């Protein structure tokens, strides 16, 4: 914003320029405080203006006054259809920006040449450099792609992926874990995001979609918690019930029974020191054995990622008080005393 | 939960370092001394003595790490014994900078501990991941030590450099 010189106030022909100068001055002063020049309806300064993009107007909703006109349309220039002629994309703006996660990608790339002059003797294109898009954030973009791939394998919703991306960005900017493999940090961020959203995934499940070992993910997990100074809630048996039971194809009754059993077992402290996953698996085993849909320990162990001896151990602990653990309205296909004893 | 019985404590391991003050020929010592092995890959030799039962790692620069002692006095005594052995073999060994690096102690509070309750109240100090490790890792700030707390009531304290006995109240 250029400031106009003083001393032009008297001359009539410069009156307009003075007004413009005053207007820009006002804008500049406002700009120091606010980000945008504020248009508002003169009668209703508090009303939020409605934008009519077709006519390019800003309209006050209270009195209908057209406050700003000839507003620049921010919609897309061309309509793009998915047909064969996809070579020429006439859009001049490219992909949507990802402002939260990137540094603001405003670089220019040089596209492949057309015509004979752009190829040298061997048939290679003369100007080859279209690779360095955003070298500073290349690793981060790579990691986002990896996170997206991992999340896709276990069908995680978009909000978890976004949260993971945010966590990764925070960790990456902090640089305290710079020496660790990016994939390990990405896997640990995914684990933390699932926990924070209230749908925790076991380490073994994250391991299954990542190339990093459980030990390394665990180490990165602890480091990230310390670096970001956050903490996560403890896992409970109920978090995994719906997933494990639907993977096994058990009906809702059995799932609810298993949830009840696991919760009761933890309340009565029958299984001190056992991982909640093992307790959940044992509870599912007991519930399925008491119903019509009996599952073997091996099947449950496969789904939950626990060894079947672990299920056996936890089952032995809850078996003595099996009668109290079942919910009161449960329909037994196999009565409690006929439950298998291992 | 209240503490009924008196907790028993005992230091189980002490790690200390000492500088013997002169460069050593490791192969020579390893051949001459009893109960000593030379590991050229690491560049160190491992010397074990039976009384007090300790192990020492001795480097060619003359620095030595002594592990396995049960008390500080024993650690110092054992380090002196090693220095004596090296001295008898003809090296001008001295006893510089004896420093205890780490002490591990275990104790039993004799009652089962609810780790979930502990992690809820002491969130910024505790780290409990049942999937990773069955014990709770509690990093105490004031005496800077790390405690591994288990459900059975056994507690392992480590990281301290001064003998410190304490009872843990929940």
């Amino acid at each position: 914003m250029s400031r106009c010189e003083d001393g032009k106030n008297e001359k009539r022909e410069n009156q307009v320029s003075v007004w413009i100068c005053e207007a820009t001055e006002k804008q500049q002063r406002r700009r120091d405080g606010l980000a945008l020049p504020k248009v508002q309806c003169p009668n209703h300064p508090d009303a939020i203006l409605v934008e009519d993009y077709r006519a390019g107007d800003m309209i006050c909703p209270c009195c209908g006054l057209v406050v700003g006109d000839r507003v620049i349309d921010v919609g897309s220039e061309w309509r793009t259809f998915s047909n064969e002629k996809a070579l020429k994309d006439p859009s001049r703006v490219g992909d949507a920006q990802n402002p939260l996660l990137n540094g603001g990608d405003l670089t220019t790339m040089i596209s492949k040449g057309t015509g004979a002059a752009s190829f040298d003797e061997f048939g290679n294109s003369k100007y080859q450099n279209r690779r360095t898009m955003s070298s500073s954030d290349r690793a981060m973009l790579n990691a986002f792609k990896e996170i997206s791939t991992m999340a896709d394998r276990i069908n995680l919703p978009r909000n978890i992926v976004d949260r993971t991306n945010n966590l990764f960005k925070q960790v990456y900017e902090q640089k305290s874990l710079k020496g660790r493999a990016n994939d390990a940090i990405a896997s640990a961020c995914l684990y933390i995001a699932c926990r924070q959203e209230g749908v925790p995934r076991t380490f073994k499940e994250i391991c299954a979609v990542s190339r990093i070992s459980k030990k390394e993910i665990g180490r990165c997990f602890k480091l990230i918690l310390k670096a970001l100074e956050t903490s996560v809630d403890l896992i409970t048996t109920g978090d995994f019930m719906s997933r494990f039971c639907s993977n096994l194809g058990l009906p809702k009754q059995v799932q609810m029974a298993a949830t009840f059993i696991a919760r009761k077992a933890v309340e009565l402290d029958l299984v001190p020191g056992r991982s909640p996953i093992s307790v959940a698996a044992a509870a599912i085993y007991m519930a399925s054995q008491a119903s019509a849909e009996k599952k073997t320990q091996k099947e449950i162990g496969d789904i939950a990622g626990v060894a079947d001896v672990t299920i056996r151990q936890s089952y032995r602990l809850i078996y003595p008080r099996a009668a109290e653990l079942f919910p009161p309205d449960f329909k037994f296909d196999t009565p409690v005393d006929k439950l298998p004893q291992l | 939960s209240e503490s009924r019985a008196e907790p028993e404590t005992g230091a189980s391991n002490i790690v200390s370092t000492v500088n013997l003050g002169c460069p050593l020929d490791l192969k020579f010592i390893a051949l001459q001394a009893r109960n000593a092995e030379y590991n050229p890959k690491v560049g160190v030799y491992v010397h074990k003595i039976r009384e007090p039962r300790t192990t020492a790692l001795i480097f060619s620069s003359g620095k030595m790490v002594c592990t396995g002692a049960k008390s500080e006095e024993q650690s110092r005594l054992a380090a002196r014994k090693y220095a004596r052995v090296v001295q008898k073999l003809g090296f001008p060994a001295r006893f510089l900078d004896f420093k205890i690096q780490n002490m591990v102690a275990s104790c039993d509070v004799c009652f089962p501990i609810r780790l979930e309750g502990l992690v809820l109240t002491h969130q910024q100090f505790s780290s409990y991941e049942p999937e990773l490790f069955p014990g709770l890792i509690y990093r105490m700030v004031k005496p800077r030590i790390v405690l591994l707390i288990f459900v059975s009531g056994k507690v392992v304290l480590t990281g301290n450099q001064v003998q410190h006995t304490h009872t843990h109240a929940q």
Side-chain angles (χ1 to χ4, degrees):
Chain A
M1 279 295 160
S2 56
R3 303 188 73 98
C4 58
E5 315 89 278
D6 296 328
K8 288 200 180 168
N9 291 336
E10 300 85 58
K11 302 231 176 97
R12 192 90 192 122
E13 50 270 40
N14 292 321
Q15 196 64 33
V16 173
S17 61
V18 168
W19 288 337
I20 294 176
C21 280
E22 280 181 358
T24 54
E25 263 181 61
K26 265 203 214 117
Q27 250 183 12
Q28 178 144 46
R29 253 182 271 126
R30 234 184 266 124
R31 203 159 272 192
D32 297 334
L34 302 168
L36 304 158
K38 204 158 177 251
V39 281
Q40 52 198 17
C41 170
N43 301 327
H44 307 100
D46 295 323
I48 302 174
L49 300 174
V50 172
E51 193 177 313
D52 181 10
Y53 62 92
R54 254 180 281 159
D57 298 334
M58 306 270 278
I59 307 175
C60 168
C62 303
C63 58
L65 182 69
V66 174
V67 182
D69 61 348
R70 283 193 278 275
V71 168
I72 297 176
D73 178 20
V74 295
S76 73
E77 201 177 5
W78 308 94
R79 294 181 295 172
T80 46
F81 301 105
S82 58
N83 53 10
E84 318 84 40
K85 283 203 297 172
L87 301 164
K88 293 202 308 168
D89 182 15
S91 163
R92 296 187 284 187
V93 293
D95 279 341
Q97 238 187 2
N98 202 346
L100 299 170
L101 302 179
N102 273 340
D105 186 18
L106 296 168
T107 56
T108 308
M109 295 193 303
I110 298 181
S111 66
K112 280 203 309 216
T114 55
S118 64
F119 293 96
D120 62 10
E121 323 59 273
F122 297 108
N124 304 322
S125 41
K126 258 190 200 164
Y127 194 79
Q128 284 175 326
N129 186 17
R130 61 188 305 232
R131 267 163 285 164
T132 49
M133 284 204 308
S134 50
S135 47
S136 61
D137 294 322
R138 178 183 309 283
M140 212 154 76
L141 279 175
N142 233 352
F144 290 159
K145 200 158 81 78
E146 190 63 38
I147 289 173
S148 177
T149 315
M150 284 198 292
D152 186 53
R153 288 197 192 115
I154 38 179
N155 301 318
L156 289 176
R158 189 70 218 169
N159 60 338
I160 293 186
V161 178
D162 287 338
R163 196 182 269 264
T164 310
N165 284 343
N166 269 320
L167 284 169
F168 186 86
K169 178 178 192 215
Q170 284 176 21
V171 169
Y172 191 73
E173 286 181 339
Q174 244 202 22
K175 293 197 193 303
S176 48
L177 281 98
K178 201 169 177 202
R180 300 263 169 196
N182 268 344
D183 284 345
I185 308 222
S187 311
C189 284
L190 191 61
Y191 179 80
I192 296 177
C194 292
R195 267 272 199 128
Q196 285 180 340
E197 290 283 330
V199 282
R201 299 288 187 274
T202 62
F203 276 111
K204 291 189 177 161
E205 288 175 306
I206 304 284
C207 248
V209 297
S210 165
R211 64 177 180 88
I212 311 288
S213 67
K214 176 171 182 258
K215 198 151 74 151
E216 186 60 29
I217 301 182
R219 266 196 225 127
C220 287
F221 164 74
K222 283 190 222 163
L223 287 172
I224 292 176
L225 283 188
K226 192 176 288 190
L228 298 181
E229 310 222 326
T230 36
S231 68
V232 287
D233 291 329
L234 217 45
I235 51 176
T236 57
T237 51
D239 298 329
F240 305 95
M241 280 303 172
S242 61
R243 215 165 347 117
F244 291 166
C245 290
S246 29
N247 281 344
L248 289 163
L250 294 172
K252 191 94 171 61
Q253 302 303 104
V254 181
Q255 178 186 323
M256 282 168 47
T259 314
F260 192 86
I261 294 173
R263 207 183 62 221
K264 238 7 204 336
V266 173
E267 272 173 25
L268 299 173
D269 205 22
L270 302 174
V271 282
R274 299 268 160 203
S275 165
I277 316 293
S278 323
V279 176
I284 295 177
Y285 180 66
M286 187 181 266
S288 73
Q289 288 292 328
S291 72
E293 301 257 337
K294 294 184 180 13
K295 298 284 170 192
T296 62
Q297 286 182 344
K298 190 166 175 324
E299 289 175 336
I300 302 180
D302 247 346
I303 301 277
V306 290
D308 52 344
V309 282
T310 313
I311 303 182
R312 215 171 296 158
Q313 293 280 30
S314 303
Y315 183 75
R316 276 197 204 119
L317 290 171
I318 58 177
Y319 180 75
R321 313 224 353 216
E324 315 164 26
L325 295 177
F326 275 99
D329 52 351
F330 184 69
K331 290 191 179 39
F332 286 88
D333 191 79
T334 316
V336 185
D337 34 343
K338 294 265 188 7
L339 281 176
Q341 186 176 18
L342 304 145
Chain B
S1 27
E2 350 69 59
S3 69
R4 285 171 282 111
E6 172 199 307
E8 325 138 18
T9 67
S12 44
N13 189 17
I14 298 190
V15 178
S16 58
T17 52
V18 75
N19 188 358
L20 296 175
C22 69
L24 305 170
D25 181 6
L26 298 188
K27 266 172 72 172
F28 178 71
I29 298 181
L31 292 169
Q32 300 283 345
R34 260 181 258 131
N35 298 316
E37 311 170 332
Y38 180 51
N39 194 342
K41 201 173 76 157
V42 184
V44 75
Y45 90 87
V46 183
H47 193 173
K48 298 191 197 286
I49 56 173
R50 249 172 281 141
E51 156 65 56
R53 188 184 283 279
T54 47
T55 306
L57 295 120
I58 309 189
F59 294 85
S60 52
S61 62
K63 296 224 171 79
M64 188 172 85
V65 181
C66 174
T67 53
K70 293 282 182 203
S71 81
E72 312 146 75
E73 265 317 299
Q74 279 195 358
S75 186
R76 196 184 182 80
L77 181 62
R80 280 202 185 279
K81 285 201 179 176
Y82 287 115
R84 189 122 188 85
V85 168
V86 167
Q87 211 173 43
K88 280 203 179 142
L89 288 172
F91 296 95
R94 292 179 342 250
F95 205 72
L96 306 168
D97 302 330
F98 177 76
K99 182 162 185 264
I100 298 188
Q101 300 290 350
N102 190 16
M103 297 176 61
V104 182
S106 64
C107 77
D108 188 3
V109 298
C110 305
F111 58 85
I113 304 181
R114 291 209 58 222
L115 302 179
E116 314 85 55
L118 184 56
V119 81
L120 284 176
T121 48
H122 291 83
Q123 228 166 18
Q124 60 263 56
F125 306 120
S126 327
S127 154
Y128 177 43
E129 267 313 304
E131 281 186 80
L132 291 178
F133 187 65
L136 192 155
I137 308 173
Y138 191 98
R139 294 177 197 275
M140 191 174 277
V141 174
K142 229 177 19 121
R144 204 171 64 83
I145 45 181
V146 177
L147 300 104
L148 299 171
I149 308 175
F150 295 90
V151 185
S152 56
K154 299 259 190 342
V155 180
V156 175
L157 311 96
T158 179
N160 212 352
Q161 292 181 348
V162 178
Q163 177 73 357
H164 186 102
T165 333
H166 70 156
T167 51
H168 189 89
Q170 293 193 77

